[in-house]
C-alpha cells in the first residue's frame, strides 16, 4: 500500500534541497553517478520518497520546497535523457496517481514549470504508453495555452516542442 506523502519542515527542506542540488551536480558531472542513482532507486524503492519530494514543492511556497522539486525533476530528466532503459523507474514516480502533472505544468515557479515541461516532452519519447494512459484533454489544453500565453519564453518554446513531437501520436490527436 502507498503511504501518505511525507511532510517536511523548513529546516528539513533546506537540507534536502541542498543534498539534491549536490546529487544533480554529480549526475550531470558524469554518467557513473547516474547509474548508481538508478540502482539505488531500484534497490531502495525510492518511488514514494521521490513523490513526496515533488509534492513538497507543489503545495509549499518556500524557496527550498521549489528547489527540492526542481532538483528531483532535473534528475528525472537526466535519467530519461541518458538512461532511457530506466524509464520504468521514472514512470513509477512521476506517472503515479498522486502526482498531478497539470499542477507541475502550471507551477508558479518558472524553473519548476520549465523543468516539468521538459520532463513531459521526455516522457513522450521514453514512456509513451504510460503517458498515454494519463493523458487527457486538460493536459492537452494546458500545453496549447502555455504555448501561446506563458510569461516565460522558454516554457512557450518547450510547449511548442511538445506539440511538435506529440502531433504524430494518435492519442494526442484524438484529445486535442
Amino acid at each position: 500500500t502507498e503511504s501518505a506523502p511525507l511532510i517536511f519542515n523548513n529546516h528539513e527542506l533546506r537540507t534536502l534541497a541542498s543534498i539534491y542540488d549536490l546529487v544533480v551536480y554529480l549526475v550531470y558531472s558524469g554518467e557513473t553517478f547516474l547509474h548508481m542513482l538508478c540502482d539505488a532507486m531500484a534497490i531502495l524503492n525510492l518511488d514514494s520518497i521521490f513523490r513526496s519530494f515533488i509534492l513538497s514543492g507543489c503545495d509549499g511556497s518556500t524557496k527550498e520546497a521549489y528547489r527540492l522539486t526542481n532538483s528531483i525533476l532535473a534528475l528525472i530528466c537526466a535519467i530519461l535523457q541518458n538512461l532511457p532503459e530506466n524509464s520504468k523507474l521514472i514512470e513509477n514516480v512521476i506517472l503515479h496517481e498522486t502526482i498531478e502533472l497539470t499542477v507541475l505544468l502550471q507551477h508558479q515557479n518558472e524553473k519548476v514549470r520549465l523543468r516539468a515541461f521538459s520532463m513531459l516532452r521526455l516522457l513522450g519519447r521514453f514512456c509513451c504508453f504510460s503517458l498515454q494512459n494519463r493523458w487527457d484533454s486538460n493536459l492537452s489544453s494546458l500545453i496549447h495555452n502555455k504555448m501561446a500565453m506563458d510569461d516565460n519564453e522558454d516554457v512557450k518554446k518547450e510547449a511548442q516542442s511538445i506539440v511538435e513531437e506529440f502531433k504524430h501520436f494518435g492519442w494526442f490527436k484524438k484529445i486535442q
Side-chain angles (χ1 to χ4, degrees), residues 63-127:
K63 182 177 85 169
E64 289 79 14
Y66 296 158
R67 275 181 47 216
L68 180 57
T69 298
N70 193 47
S71 291
I72 299 302
L73 295 179
L75 293 174
I76 287 170
C77 289
I79 291 168
L80 289 172
Q81 272 183 317
N82 300 306
L83 299 175
E85 63 272 18
N86 288 294
S87 63
K88 188 66 178 160
L89 292 172
I90 300 310
E91 290 176 18
N92 293 339
V93 173
I94 202 69
L95 294 176
H96 190 269
E97 63 191 15
T98 58
I99 302 293
E100 291 293 329
L101 294 174
T102 54
V103 171
L104 290 169
L105 295 168
Q106 297 178 89
H107 202 279
Q108 65 187 26
N109 182 283
E110 65 182 26
K111 290 178 184 176
V112 172
R113 196 168 62 247
L114 178 59
R115 190 79 70 180
F117 270 88
S118 298
M119 178 197 63
L120 184 65
R121 185 175 43 78
L122 292 167
L123 287 170
R125 287 183 190 170
F126 303 113
C127 305

Side-chain angles (χ1 to χ4, degrees), residues 151-175:
D151 296 335
N152 183 304
E153 285 302 314
D154 292 329
V155 170
K156 284 182 184 179
K157 288 177 189 171
E158 200 64 41
Q160 290 167 348
S161 295
I162 289 170
V163 170
E164 188 61 31
E165 286 188 34
F166 289 14
K167 71 182 179 185
H168 303 290
F169 299 143
W171 52 267
F172 182 73
K173 289 180 195 175
K174 266 192 260 183
I175 296 180

Side-chain angles (χ1 to χ4, degrees), residues 41-81:
M41 285 177 70
I43 293 167
L44 300 174
N45 195 18
L46 298 176
D47 303 352
S48 65
I49 292 172
F50 273 38
R51 283 193 293 272
S52 291
F53 292 166
I54 292 168
L55 292 171
S56 73
C58 292
D59 55 9
S61 60
T62 66
K63 182 177 85 169
E64 289 79 14
Y66 296 158
R67 275 181 47 216
L68 180 57
T69 298
N70 193 47
S71 291
I72 299 302
L73 295 179
L75 293 174
I76 287 170
C77 289
I79 291 168
L80 289 172
Q81 272 183 317

